[in-house]
Amino acid sequence: MKKTERIANLALTGLTLAPLVVKVDPNLNVILTACLTVFVGCYRSVKPTPPTETMSNEHAMRFPFVGSAMLLSLFLLFKFLSKDLVNTVLTGYFFVLGIVALSATLLPFIKRFLPKHWNEDVIVWRLPYFRSVEIEFTRSQVVAGIPGTFFCAWYALRKHWLANNILGLAFCIQGIEMLSLGSFKTGAILLAGLFVYDIFWVFFTPVMVSVAKSFDAPIKLLFPTADAVRPFSMLGLGDIVIPGIFVALALRFDVSRGKQPQYFKSAFVGYTVGLVLTIVVMNWFQAAQPALLYIVPSVIGFLAAHCIWNGDVKQLLEFDESKTANSPQEQDKSSKKVV
């Protein structure tokens, strides 16, 4: 882990815990937390080998429609069923999902203190009576799952805003780290579709805001305020993950060319500017704003302007991570133990 990454991790941890002991301006907290999360997730997405599975143009086109269907379904569930019942079921779902995400986020730190064979030897566990179903894991993953389980239990019992935020940050980091757009063309299609999606559901319907307020789960980050009427400012995880995977693609594009992260910097600055604009407009009108309305044009605009200035438009548009991955799958060299 490089020095800048280590500093970013420490800064994100400190900023997350800071409201417990000192008053932090919620607007500044939103901007710094989101930007640090994107930064950490982007650098974690850089792997020794390119991703073998990437999003296709067709998936990117369908994503806003699938997201709309899920959002509307949640709205109807909260409208016609007991809010407590829906949130209880969702708490159980996010309990399991949270353990996986938090364990995966902690794993790189925990692995450094464990024996080498604990990190490399893979155990294959077959479900009783369903021997065709296999689950692969290492001992280090089991160790990482222990604090993740206790933490998720605390979240399920207390629903404290800090627990919500830590799980939300884990989801964001894992999303940016694991999801690959494959190409900038696919990324532009996805961002453009979600740009329209965000505007429609926030400005033209009460659905997005209603679900965000009713959904008692770590799908949003909560920032304490001094306002008793509005005790928390909120930022949806999608406003971090969606542009974050595009910014991460810019970083991996830089790495693939063996150059310093120049286009990553322009995309990251674009994200920061878009987020600041969101906060400014939200406070000016005192109303919820679709963050992607400001973030998407800013991220794409800054990256496009920098790329045009350097004359790298063709290289950027031709970049495709799925083609840089090795065709033959390398044989797994780690030993496996079947149980």
Side-chain angles (χ1 to χ4, degrees), residues 213-227:
K213 291 180 177 179
S214 303
F215 206 149
D216 189 12
I219 61 164
K220 57 187 180 292
L221 300 182
L222 303 174
F223 302 93
T225 69
D227 188 350

Side-chain angles (χ1 to χ4, degrees), residues 19 23-27 29-30 222-234:
K23 182 180 178 181
V24 181
D25 181 79
N27 295 324
N29 202 353
V30 168
L222 303 174
F223 302 93
T225 69
D227 188 350
V229 178
R230 193 172 63 102
F232 295 102
S233 290
M234 297 185 297

